[in-house]
Amino acid sequence: MTAPLPTMAASPLPPPDPQFVLRGTQSAVHALHFFGGARGQERPLLLSGSLSGLVHIWSLQTRRAVATLDGHGGQCVTWLQTLPQGHQLLSQGRDLKLRLWDLAEGRNAVVDSVPLESLGFCRSSVLARGQERWMLAMPGRGSEEVQILEMPSKTSVCTLKPEADAKPGMPMCLELWQADSSPRPLLLAGYEDGSVALWDVSERKVCSRVACHTEPVMGFDFDSQKARGVSGSAEKALAVWSLDEQQALQVCRTHELTNPGIADVKIRPDRKILATAGWDHRVRVFHWRTMKPLAVLSFHSATVHCVAFATDGLLAAGSGDQRISIWSLYPVRSDASTPLLGHAEGGEVGAHALA
Amino acid sequence: MAVFDTPEEAFSALRPVCVQLTKTQTVENVEHLQARLQAVSDSALQELQQYVLFPLRFTLKTPGPKRERLIQSVVECLTFVLSSTCVKEQELLQELFSELSACLYSPNSQKPAAVSEELKLAVIRGLSTLMHSAYGDIILAFYEPNILPRLGFAVSLLLDLAEQEKSKQIKIAALQCLQVLLFQCDCQDHPRSLDELEQKQLGDLFASFLPGISMALTRVITGDFKQGHSIVVSSLKLFYKTVSFIMANEQLERISEVQPKAAVEHRVAELMVHREARWVKNTSDKLTILIKKIIECVSVHPHWKVRLALIELVEALLLKCSQSLVRSAGPLLKALVGLVNDESPEVQAQCNKALRRFADQKVVVGNRAFADILSENLHSLATSLPRLMNSQDDQGKFSTLSLLLGYLKLLGPRVNFVLHSVAHLERLSKALIQVLELDVTDIKVVEERRWNSGHLSASPETVAPQPWSPMQRRYFRFFTDERLFLLLQQLCQLLGFYGDLYLLVDQFMALYRESVVYRKQAAMILNELVVGAAGLEVENLHENHIKTSPEELREIVTSILEEYTSQENWYLITCIESEEVGEELTMKQAGLQAITSGAHTCQVTSFPAFSQPSPTICSMNSNIWQICIQLEGIGRFAYALGKDFRLLLMSALYPVLEKAGDQTLLISQAATSAMMDICHACGYDSLQHLINQNSDYLVNGISLNLRHLSLHPHTPKVLEVMLWNSDASLLPLVADVVQDVLATLDQFYDKRATSFVGVLHALLAALAQWFSDTGDLGQPQEQSAGEEGSHLSRRPAAPEKGLGNSTTAEDIEQFLLNYLKEKDVADGNVSDFDNEEEEQSEPPKADEHDPGPDVAPPLPVQIQIATHVMERCVHLLSDANLKIRLKVLDVLDLCVVVLQSHKNQLLPLAHRAWPSLVHRLTNDDPLVVLRAFKVLRTLGGKCGDFLRSRFCKDILPKLAGSLVTQAPVSARAGPVYSHTLACKLQLAVLQGLGPLCERLDLGEGDLNKVADACLIYLSARQPVKLQEAARRVFLHLMKVDPDSTWFLLNELYCPEQLTPPHPSLHPVHLRGITGQGNPYAANVLRLLQELQ
């Protein structure tokens, strides 16, 4: 790790603890997603997908599972996403099914399902454009393909296939997005060879591609406002890359880690910090702008598979030890203009976290 | 009864007596008349009223001295006539009134004439009857201004009588008569109610008498307590009836400023009073003085009926004269409020009724003036409260606080006017804090220890339905009366109910934080405030009062809880640290002695045995109380919030459970009762249910706190308590925590092993208990059946019975067959059939449950845990700390029990633990040896064959050797020896050996070793206990090998000469000596009897 912070020696603060821990999934946790809680006073719900194919819905108020969804035939649930317009949940499972659930008013029924054709670990992505229609990107039939569907009609928009000479391997992670200025949907995809590519979906061509890692990209997150993204892979480094006006990707910097293997990367909705899920059982927290390491959260006793942020700033980490830890770090300020992680706060957590 | 129904008949009957009376006025004649009158019907008498009255009035009017006796009989007769007739003419009424009044008048003085008491009574009754007999219209006409002088005369006469007379009867009669005269009679004969104008006229008239009446009555009321309560009650009644009539708001409102010209003569007009504003003010000023006097005197009157009458007075005056007597309202309310907590339930009830009535009618809140007066009173009371609490005795404090309570009840939501004044709030809270100060010098509080481990015994059924009943007696520094505490509780609840809860909680939280001195009291007050705010024990007198909403209350409770359970307020030193760590008896006792010896110095200065940083007894006592109060608070909060408290369980349950495992009896009691309260509030059936349902919250707390063990050293305790009080459903949840515990143990095995071993013990005990059923039903039976099968040969079919009974031919045949078979085995003919057979039978058995033949089934969680724990035990067995070694042996014992059905796990571990165990058995403290022997027995029971050769090789020689060497010592020793460790050791070995031999199925040589070692203990010289134990060893040996045992015993002592059944056989001679002096005789005889 980088040079220790000056306050480290002086401060005897104990390492940070999770705010609380959710138990009861009875199997490894592979997907996490916060749901609701943005507008209303109610605390958000947390959705978790487990190796045993169950999706648990947790109330963060009572800290207990309020419902369990069983729709993937005992196969691992790898991805969870709610749609903005309603109480609808998408879950992706290793049983080669994408299920659409209706969660409104306490219901939990499968309303639709999309067959998957790739057995990889690639998580899908959703771009909601309007109330009715939304776009879904998922790994396609061919091992290198990404398929784009128009939902809810399930009509195939296109299949994005790399040029024949590129050979990037399987897609590992996807992110659909749309710049504020243009109506064209874009897709970021991380590939098995460690490269990240930007696709223009409507033209079905790669705008730009950059090799970020030497190992497969395991997870990335993209900050569309700053046009910057961060990716983690099986190797010992994080890569930060950016997108310029010409839609060209370029690696800004890489950040060395002590242990290899990042399973997931998430930037907090307020774009101040980011968290990584490590194979070394640890969650690492970085300052997003400077990439300064802020904290190493060690609690789990097995690989951390996924991390997720709630809109109110809570961080959840799911791990192979069947536990989900909930952390409250650097509370989100309502006043966005003040620079987050000023001296006092940053110093404090940083000091004990890096110990 | 009436003989003369018609006036004619009556007239003819009465005429002679009337004439006679007119002629000669004697008592006899009056009595004749009266006798005749008895026989005349009422209607007839009404006709003849004037005629009959004439001779009587004549007698009264005759000038000249008269005998009192005569007058009395005349008045009585007159009264009789009047009581049966009506007076229909106003003239007659006036004249009779004057004539009767005159009877008591002495022309010489202002005082009533000095006449006999009987006469006075007769006259008073006469007057009273007269007023009752007057016809409705007549009586109103009677009260006209002109009558004023005569009426005044009568009134003053009666007042004089009421005040001066000795006779209670006369006094009461006079007071009642006054009531009649003043038109306030409460008998049934006045059905007609007066209209407003008539009321006003009467009021005008009576106003003249008000000063006289009120002052005279005040004198009567404030007179000696001994005069009897009925007089005071009557006087009070008369007082308030009169005053409330004359000063009634309704009447005074109609009085015009200018006095109307009344058509009366000047002399009378002077007497008349005009009740205009100035008069009202003056009068009310004077009345206020009187009322104050009355209240002062009556509110402490010993008779409750008097105090009851006072309530009526207050009620009447406040309801009817609220404006005219506004200056008296303060004292009146104070009187009422002071009676809220009267010792008489009737008075209390009446008082509450009155208060409720005031509240209902908005007398207080709706009326600005009243509220002002109350607030003012409360202000001044709050100001003087600290001083009063300091100086008064219990009784004084009680009445002061009752008063305060009453004000709060009356003011209701308006109490905030007072609370919002910083100075007053400050004074009020300081006073409460001061009076609630606890006495913390009691040594017992610190001394008492909880001895039984984790089981929380109480169940909801055993606790009273009112879970908040204070179960722990508290001693306060400034009062001893239990009632005062209840009163204070009520007070705080009312404050919480009506007051601004945020403000109050802030105030008391500030005090809580300010100083340790205030902390306990502030916590007590906070607890009650919250209960009050929930409105559960408060009767709401003010309907429009809005209670604190449940959400707000929950928020407040959450913040208080946070404060209570914060590091610095929850983890207080309650006992001396060494005690904390040490859990064994010896240590504890030493600690206790240390405390007791220093206890006497407690009050004088700080504890000398400990230097400054060490806690004193007082401070530990105080800490214990603080924790108890906070625990009680949690219970109270649960009670206040009801089901809503479930949301707080995630933060509250863990700390409570932590305290439930505390060593201090008081704390663990308080914690248990808090948990009971939580059960009641949140709808759990039992503590177990509560813990089970919320084990996820607890586990969360435990696993997070385990990460910082140095900060939370009590964490293992919580797990322990949880395990003791839960069931198998808990296991999946705790599984990962157990892993954490083991990991932490590995990390801190040198420092915190004690507490962890405690947890492991609890864990394994729980596992053994939870999974005992499956263990018993499954493998062990198999096991014992296997043993049975393979070694059946060596045993007689039914050992106990078979030995004594006659042997049948079949038995002998069976025996021979078995013998042959055994011989074969011994010769090696069936070599494969022996011990390995069992171990081979093991895997197929397990395979039956397998889904697939290749995949080993995952072990049950409890087995995994027990395996892990046993691994740790192997290492900890050689810990330097004696206590830990002992505890670890217990854990090991339990591990073996849990693992008994999984030999594949148990045997390798037993193998690893063996060397260490042998070491414990042979080279350790006697205590440890004892405990290790226990483990050995269990181990022998669970995996006998595995242990046999090891036992014979490593242990038996040592045990036998020690038994042999110790035998002479114990044989010589006196009675004290049985209490020594050495003896206990011998005993344990002897007790253990028997079952072990049987379980392990030892070979002949080893059995002989055992028998030889134990034989010496059959001597009568040995302590009785050891003899018994030795006998038991032989009983076990008999089961294994009865014949050789028989032989051995006979070698020692042979009770009878054996005669051969046939002379051709050699006579057998056994070496046993048959003398009287044989010390083995008794025991051997008993054993041989068993064998027969």
Side-chain angles (χ1 to χ4, degrees):
Chain A
M1 189 136 308
T2 52
L5 295 175
T7 48
M8 188 174 158
S11 169
L13 275 175
D17 274 333
Q19 199 180 42
F20 54 91
V21 177
L22 303 176
R23 292 179 167 76
T25 57
Q26 310 277 8
S27 72
V29 181
H30 279 262
L32 285 172
H33 180 71
F34 281 100
F35 166 44
R39 296 162 299 272
Q41 277 86 15
E42 270 183 57
R43 297 192 72 178
L45 297 171
L46 176 66
L47 305 164
S48 77
S50 71
L51 185 65
S52 59
L54 298 182
V55 175
H56 293 268
I57 304 178
W58 302 88
S59 157
L60 294 184
Q61 193 183 22
T62 63
R63 302 177 185 176
R64 285 177 177 159
V66 290
T68 306
L69 314 179
D70 183 2
H72 288 283
Q75 300 290 308
C76 181
V77 177
T78 55
W79 177 68
L80 292 168
Q81 175 73 46
T82 47
L83 298 178
Q85 63 263 36
H87 295 265
Q88 285 193 310
L89 166 72
L90 265 174
S91 68
Q92 178 182 354
R94 298 266 286 156
D95 60 343
L96 299 184
K97 288 282 188 314
L98 259 168
R99 302 264 188 214
L100 186 63
W101 304 82
D102 181 12
L103 301 183
E105 293 155 11
R107 282 192 290 269
N108 42 27
V110 178
V111 289
D112 204 353
S113 106
V114 183
L116 272 168
E117 287 172 278
S118 158
L119 200 60
F121 280 95
C122 182
R123 293 167 178 171
S124 307
S125 176
V126 156
L127 177 65
R129 289 197 276 192
Q131 283 299 313
E132 293 305 314
R133 300 182 318 144
W134 41 283
M135 189 179 265
L136 174 70
M138 59 185 205
R141 182 194 305 265
S143 69
E144 296 185 345
E145 289 171 9
V146 176
Q147 198 179 9
I148 308 287
L149 292 181
E150 178 80 39
M151 295 294 283
S153 59
K154 296 196 267 185
T155 46
S156 175
V157 176
C158 59
T159 302
L160 306 178
K161 199 174 190 174
E163 290 138 45
D165 56 340
K167 295 247 184 297
M170 287 199 289
M172 300 299 289
C173 38
L174 305 170
E175 170 125 341
L176 272 174
W177 63 284
Q178 197 169 15
D180 292 338
S181 49
S182 96
R184 302 158 76 93
L186 300 168
L187 174 76
L188 275 165
Y191 285 98
E192 204 178 350
D193 68 347
S195 65
V196 174
L198 178 72
W199 290 83
D200 187 320
V201 174
S202 28
E203 294 186 19
R204 301 175 198 185
K205 70 168 178 65
V206 177
C207 304
S208 157
R209 186 162 158 234
V210 62
C212 299
H213 302 280
T214 54
E215 299 278 337
V217 179
M218 299 306 293
F220 69 76
D221 203 3
F222 182 68
D223 172 1
S224 58
Q225 259 183 28
K226 292 195 178 111
R228 248 163 37 110
V230 57
S231 60
S233 80
E235 65 177 3
K236 257 168 86 167
L238 283 178
V240 179
W241 28 267
S242 67
L243 193 63
D244 61 15
E245 262 91 77
Q246 284 76 44
Q247 298 201 323
L249 283 168
Q250 61 197 53
V251 175
C252 309
R253 58 190 286 184
T254 56
H255 186 90
E256 278 295 304
L257 300 171
T258 28
N259 296 310
I262 294 296
D264 198 7
V265 180
K266 285 278 156 58
I267 301 171
R268 196 162 75 178
D270 66 350
R271 296 183 308 280
K272 303 291 185 190
I273 58 176
L274 70 99
T276 65
W279 292 357
D280 60 352
H281 312 178
R282 291 186 185 138
V283 175
R284 288 183 166 73
V285 180
F286 297 88
H287 192 283
W288 172 220
R289 189 164 48 82
T290 63
M291 283 308 283
K292 188 170 90 173
L294 297 175
V296 178
L297 310 178
S298 65
F299 169 78
H300 289 286
S301 55
T303 305
V304 181
H305 290 301
C306 47
V307 285
F309 278 110
T311 35
D312 65 357
L314 275 188
L315 167 67
S319 152
D321 63 4
Q322 312 185 354
R323 298 186 281 197
I324 302 165
S325 53
I326 309 289
W327 307 75
S328 175
L329 308 161
Y330 313 108
V332 173
R333 296 189 190 179
S334 47
D335 183 7
S337 64
T338 30
L340 186 100
L341 308 181
H343 313 286
E345 228 180 10
E348 187 205 337
V349 176
H352 59 230
L354 291 174
Chain B
M1 157 95 190
V3 180
F4 310 109
D5 280 332
T6 59
E8 290 73 26
E9 286 170 348
F11 181 73
S12 55
L14 289 174
R15 211 177 75 105
V17 281
C18 283
V19 170
Q20 180 66 23
L21 180 60
T22 322
K23 280 182 187 160
T24 35
Q25 294 139 6
T26 57
V27 177
E28 291 74 37
N29 285 338
V30 178
E31 279 166 356
H32 279 140
L33 175 60
Q34 185 147 11
R36 282 289 166 86
L37 286 175
Q38 303 280 356
V40 179
S41 74
D42 284 3
S43 56
L45 190 56
Q46 181 71 48
E47 294 286 311
L48 299 173
Q49 188 196 39
Q50 295 271 22
Y51 181 79
V52 178
L53 284 178
F54 175 76
L56 294 168
R57 292 175 61 192
F58 180 74
T59 313
L60 286 180
K61 274 194 277 192
T62 318
K66 281 159 283 189
R67 286 179 299 124
E68 280 185 12
R69 183 77 190 87
L70 178 64
I71 301 177
Q72 186 195 336
S73 57
V74 168
V75 170
E76 278 166 3
C77 191
L78 201 69
T79 308
F80 178 78
V81 174
L82 290 174
S83 68
S84 359
T85 59
C86 285
V87 178
K88 291 183 172 167
E89 288 157 54
Q90 198 184 345
E91 293 268 303
L92 181 66
L93 178 63
Q94 287 188 3
E95 279 168 26
L96 278 173
F97 183 77
S98 310
E99 283 159 14
L100 278 173
S101 319
C103 291
L104 292 178
Y105 176 68
S106 82
N108 310 330
S109 68
Q110 290 292 313
K111 294 273 162 67
V115 289
S116 74
E117 294 193 337
E118 287 80 12
L119 179 56
K120 286 177 190 166
L121 198 59
V123 172
I124 295 170
R125 283 185 182 150
L127 273 174
S128 180
T129 317
L130 174 66
M131 296 317 285
H132 275 110
S133 70
Y135 226 64
D137 291 333
I138 306 288
I139 190 111
L140 276 179
F142 173 77
Y143 288 107
E144 61 174 10
N146 281 327
I147 198 76
L148 206 57
R150 271 179 278 177
L151 190 61
F153 170 69
V155 167
S156 69
L157 202 65
L158 288 168
L159 282 173
D160 269 347
L161 286 175
E163 201 181 334
Q164 307 290 347
E165 273 305 316
K166 296 261 185 315
S167 158
K168 204 166 158 181
Q169 219 181 356
I170 295 179
K171 285 180 158 201
I172 290 182
L175 288 168
Q176 273 165 357
C177 188
L178 267 172
Q179 216 170 319
V180 178
L181 277 185
L182 296 173
F183 228 88
Q184 303 296 332
C185 182
D186 40 20
C187 66
Q188 302 294 313
D189 298 342
H190 308 278
R192 219 187 114 186
S193 60
L194 300 169
D195 64 28
E196 282 170 359
L197 191 68
E198 287 162 345
Q199 276 191 357
K200 180 176 166 297
Q201 281 173 354
L202 283 177
D204 281 340
L205 201 64
F206 295 154
S208 314
F209 311 139
L210 186 61
I213 294 176
S214 56
M215 274 160 66
L217 286 177
T218 307
R219 282 195 296 272
V220 174
I221 292 167
T222 56
D224 195 353
F225 284 162
K226 284 181 210 135
Q227 66 184 324
H229 71 271
S230 50
I231 292 164
V232 184
V233 169
S234 307
S235 310
L236 277 172
K237 232 176 220 165
L238 185 59
F239 182 89
Y240 75 73
K241 288 205 163 164
T242 316
V243 172
S244 67
F245 183 73
I246 297 168
M247 304 293 285
N249 291 341
E250 322 171 321
Q251 286 196 33
L252 296 178
E253 275 166 13
R254 301 169 184 277
I255 305 279
S256 57
E257 277 301 311
V258 190
Q259 182 169 19
K261 273 283 173 212
V264 285
E265 48 181 299
H266 183 65
R267 196 173 57 87
V268 176
E270 269 187 346
L271 291 174
M272 289 289 286
V273 162
H274 181 55
R275 292 182 286 168
E276 33 79 38
R278 216 183 46 201
W279 179 86
V280 170
K281 193 179 169 304
N282 279 335
T283 313
S284 94
D285 285 357
K286 284 169 193 153
L287 278 175
T288 303
I289 298 172
L290 296 180
I291 288 172
K292 270 189 184 160
K293 259 190 181 169
I294 290 176
I295 287 171
E296 208 171 286
C297 176
V298 171
S299 57
V300 292
H301 198 282
H303 201 284
W304 64 272
K305 278 194 178 157
V306 177
R307 299 196 299 272
L308 199 64
L310 180 63
I311 294 176
E312 282 166 23
L313 178 139
V314 172
E315 207 173 355
L317 293 187
L318 283 180
L319 285 175
K320 288 196 182 150
C321 320
S322 52
Q323 272 141 41
S324 50
L325 286 179
V326 79
R327 309 221 8 225
S328 308
L332 284 171
L333 279 175
K334 187 174 164 183
L336 188 60
V337 163
L339 290 174
V340 163
N341 273 33
D342 195 88
E343 54 198 21
S344 147
E346 284 92 346
V347 176
Q348 257 189 39
Q350 186 62 33
C351 197
N352 278 322
K353 224 165 89 188
L355 286 176
R356 189 173 286 277
R357 192 160 162 212
F358 286 156
D360 286 348
Q361 301 189 353
K362 310 266 187 310
V363 173
V364 178
V365 182
N367 188 329
R368 184 69 209 160
F370 265 35
D372 286 351
I373 293 159
L374 279 175
S375 314
E376 208 172 283
N377 283 355
L378 185 53
H379 266 108
S380 62
L381 184 59
T383 314
S384 54
L385 202 55
R387 182 177 50 78
L388 291 174
M389 289 299 106
N390 235 347
S391 53
Q392 285 177 319
D393 59 358
D394 275 14
Q395 190 54 45
K397 279 180 193 140
F398 187 78
S399 50
T400 308
L401 291 172
S402 295
L403 197 58
L404 185 58
L405 185 69
Y407 283 138
L408 293 183
K409 274 192 180 169
L410 267 188
L411 271 175
R414 287 192 165 227
V415 68
N416 282 324
F417 286 129
V418 178
L419 297 181
H420 281 145
S421 145
V422 177
H424 285 95
L425 178 61
E426 192 73 15
R427 284 189 156 261
L428 186 67
S429 48
K430 278 281 164 61
L432 286 176
I433 293 253
Q434 183 192 327
V435 74
L436 275 170
E437 188 172 335
L438 283 170
D439 181 11
V440 292
T441 50
D442 189 7
I443 182 74
K444 267 208 183 128
V445 170
V446 187
E447 258 180 5
E448 282 182 314
R449 284 281 170 276
R450 196 175 57 96
W451 294 104
N452 64 328
S453 54
H455 281 292
L456 309 170
S457 49
S459 68
E461 295 78 41
T462 60
V463 172
Q466 291 200 324
W468 55 90
S469 57
M471 64 161 194
Q472 294 167 331
R473 180 102 173 87
R474 281 171 202 168
Y475 297 92
F476 294 92
R477 255 185 82 184
F478 292 111
F479 65 90
T480 49
D481 195 342
E482 186 75 10
R483 288 184 309 155
L484 262 178
F485 178 61
L486 295 176
L487 195 58
L488 283 162
Q489 248 184 333
Q490 256 184 314
L491 244 169
C492 296
Q493 288 173 3
L494 263 190
L495 269 179
F497 187 66
Y498 289 123
D500 179 345
L501 193 60
Y502 282 107
L503 177 76
L504 287 166
V505 167
D506 271 0
Q507 168 73 13
F508 285 103
M509 280 312 265
L511 286 169
Y512 178 92
R513 291 189 198 106
E514 191 178 312
S515 155
V516 189
V517 184
Y518 300 150
R519 201 159 290 157
K520 294 185 290 296
Q521 299 94 301
M524 266 190 264
I525 294 168
L526 281 168
N527 297 348
E528 298 308 324
L529 284 177
V530 169
V531 171
L536 289 167
E537 285 170 45
V538 187
E539 46 167 347
N540 189 358
L541 295 171
H542 304 265
E543 275 170 17
N544 55 346
H545 171 58
I546 303 150
K547 283 198 294 179
T548 320
S549 77
E551 289 76 31
E552 278 178 330
L553 195 59
R554 201 172 68 215
E555 244 168 65
I556 289 171
V557 167
T558 311
S559 70
I560 301 179
L561 260 181
E562 240 167 57
E563 188 73 29
Y564 278 3
T565 55
S566 67
Q567 188 82 21
E568 67 268 30
N569 294 323
W570 197 250
Y571 301 102
L572 302 167
I573 298 168
T574 56
C575 55
I576 293 150
E577 201 56 32
S578 64
E579 238 183 304
E580 186 88 322
V581 178
E583 289 181 357
E584 290 305 315
L585 283 174
T586 48
M587 281 300 276
K588 266 192 214 156
Q589 278 159 353
L592 284 183
Q593 277 159 7
I595 292 172
T596 324
S597 62
H600 313 290
T601 55
C602 180
Q603 279 127 321
V604 188
T605 47
S606 69
F607 204 32
F610 301 95
S611 52
Q612 200 51 42
S614 307
T616 64
I617 295 296
C618 295
S619 75
M620 286 198 287
N621 181 318
S622 157
N623 287 344
I624 290 173
W625 276 123
Q626 193 192 325
I627 293 172
C628 286
I629 290 166
Q630 287 171 179
L631 280 166
E632 187 195 70
I634 294 179
R636 304 285 279 167
F637 297 159
Y639 170 64
L641 288 179
K643 288 254 192 301
D644 267 5
F645 194 76
R646 284 186 177 210
L647 276 177
L648 299 182
L649 279 179
M650 63 181 87
S651 53
L653 191 57
Y654 178 86
V656 175
L657 211 59
E658 196 173 48
K659 292 300 173 195
D662 199 283
Q663 298 275 307
T664 311
L665 179 72
L666 224 50
I667 293 181
S668 101
Q669 273 180 352
T672 313
S673 92
M675 292 214 294
M676 298 311 305
D677 290 351
I678 294 175
C679 281
H680 283 289
C682 302
Y684 295 108
D685 307 335
S686 61
L687 291 187
Q688 198 185 357
H689 192 209
L690 172 71
I691 292 175
N692 268 343
Q693 292 291 305
N694 296 289
S695 46
D696 48 348
Y697 294 155
L698 290 171
V699 165
N700 189 43
I702 292 169
S703 84
L704 292 185
N705 284 339
L706 272 179
R707 288 156 56 83
H708 311 289
L709 200 62
S710 50
L711 283 178
H712 307 280
H714 303 287
T715 310
K717 269 258 132 42
V718 182
L719 186 57
E720 206 178 317
V721 173
M722 204 171 138
L723 288 166
W724 282 121
N725 294 285
S726 196
D727 61 30
S729 59
L730 184 69
L731 194 61
L733 271 171
V734 288
D736 74 296
V737 175
V738 170
Q739 293 307 323
D740 289 349
V741 167
L742 292 175
T744 322
L745 170 65
D746 292 345
Q747 204 179 339
F748 293 103
Y749 74 95
D750 47 344
K751 284 179 220 147
R752 308 227 167 249
T754 324
S755 51
F756 278 111
V757 173
V759 178
L760 295 184
H761 186 243
L763 176 67
L764 265 297
L767 289 181
Q769 191 195 333
W770 296 342
F771 298 100
S772 59
D773 290 345
T774 56
D776 283 345
L777 292 175
Q779 215 68 21
Q781 269 189 354
E782 255 279 306
Q783 168 76 18
S784 58
E787 260 177 46
E788 205 76 34
S790 61
H791 307 294
L792 187 69
S793 47
R794 289 201 198 159
R795 294 182 188 183
E800 289 91 0
K801 272 200 222 161
L803 288 175
N805 293 349
S806 57
T807 352
T808 61
E810 291 86 62
D811 285 341
I812 294 167
E813 186 187 347
Q814 184 62 43
F815 178 80
L816 271 174
L817 283 174
N818 284 344
Y819 177 76
L820 288 174
K821 202 164 146 196
E822 195 174 309
K823 202 156 179 288
D824 274 357
V825 173
D827 293 344
N829 291 350
V830 214
S831 58
D832 289 1
F833 179 67
D834 209 14
N835 297 338
E836 288 97 309
E837 186 257 359
E838 261 170 76
E839 308 209 351
Q840 281 166 355
S841 74
E842 198 70 25
K845 168 78 184 159
D847 276 354
E848 281 169 27
H849 304 292
D850 262 1
D854 297 334
V855 188
L859 289 166
V861 184
Q862 74 270 22
I863 300 302
Q864 289 179 27
I865 291 175
T867 317
H868 289 305
V869 172
M870 197 159 163
E871 265 168 29
R872 265 66 176 196
C873 287
V874 171
H875 298 292
L876 287 169
L877 265 181
S878 49
D879 195 279
N881 187 334
L882 170 70
K883 282 172 292 169
I884 292 183
R885 289 204 301 275
L886 288 170
K887 205 92 191 206
V888 167
L889 282 168
D890 285 343
V891 178
L892 192 66
D893 200 40
L894 288 164
C895 282
V896 175
V897 174
V898 174
L899 286 174
Q900 57 180 328
S901 53
H902 289 73
K903 290 285 184 300
N904 287 344
Q905 277 68 43
L906 176 60
L907 295 182
L909 282 168
H911 171 72
R912 282 174 57 194
W914 184 252
S916 197
L917 189 62
V918 170
H919 210 69
R920 300 284 83 72
L921 273 167
T922 50
N923 293 326
D924 209 327
D925 190 281
L927 271 173
V928 180
V929 177
L930 271 174
R931 210 67 70 91
F933 207 75
K934 189 168 159 265
V935 178
L936 191 66
R937 273 162 63 183
T938 316
L939 207 55
K942 306 304 173 196
C943 41
D945 301 310
F946 169 78
L947 216 61
R948 189 182 309 124
S949 65
R950 294 164 198 264
F951 175 75
C952 297
K953 190 170 102 246
D954 299 334
I955 297 175
L956 188 58
K958 295 226 177 199
L959 288 182
S962 83
L963 276 181
V964 171
T965 48
Q966 276 296 311
V969 180
S970 57
R972 277 196 305 273
V976 196
Y977 183 74
S978 61
H979 297 286
T980 61
L981 208 53
C983 177
K984 282 177 185 156
L985 196 58
Q986 281 171 303
L987 190 63
V989 173
L990 285 173
Q991 283 169 346
L993 268 178
L996 256 181
C997 291
E998 202 180 339
R999 287 282 187 176
L1000 296 180
D1001 207 24
L1002 295 183
E1004 205 175 324
D1006 295 318
L1007 281 181
N1008 284 342
K1009 263 189 228 165
V1010 173
D1012 285 342
C1014 298
L1015 219 47
I1016 342 167
Y1017 287 90
L1018 288 177
S1019 162
R1021 296 202 190 94
Q1022 293 287 345
V1024 182
K1025 272 188 188 167
L1026 295 184
Q1027 292 181 45
E1028 273 170 28
R1031 277 206 306 274
R1032 223 162 295 137
V1033 174
F1034 280 97
L1035 284 178
H1036 283 283
L1037 291 179
M1038 282 176 204
K1039 288 182 198 166
V1040 184
D1041 193 351
D1043 299 337
S1044 69
T1045 312
W1046 181 86
F1047 183 71
L1048 198 71
L1049 290 174
N1050 270 310
E1051 287 279 279
L1052 203 59
Y1053 171 75
C1054 187
E1056 56 191 280
Q1057 204 60 46
L1058 296 168
T1059 44
H1062 194 271
S1064 62
L1065 293 171
H1066 281 289
V1068 180
H1069 288 287
L1070 295 170
R1071 277 192 295 160
I1073 308 148
T1074 42
Q1076 281 295 317
N1078 190 328
Y1080 303 102
N1083 286 317
V1084 171
L1085 265 179
R1086 283 178 70 172
L1087 285 169
L1088 286 177
Q1089 266 164 20
E1090 292 281 331
L1091 260 178
Q1092 296 300 305

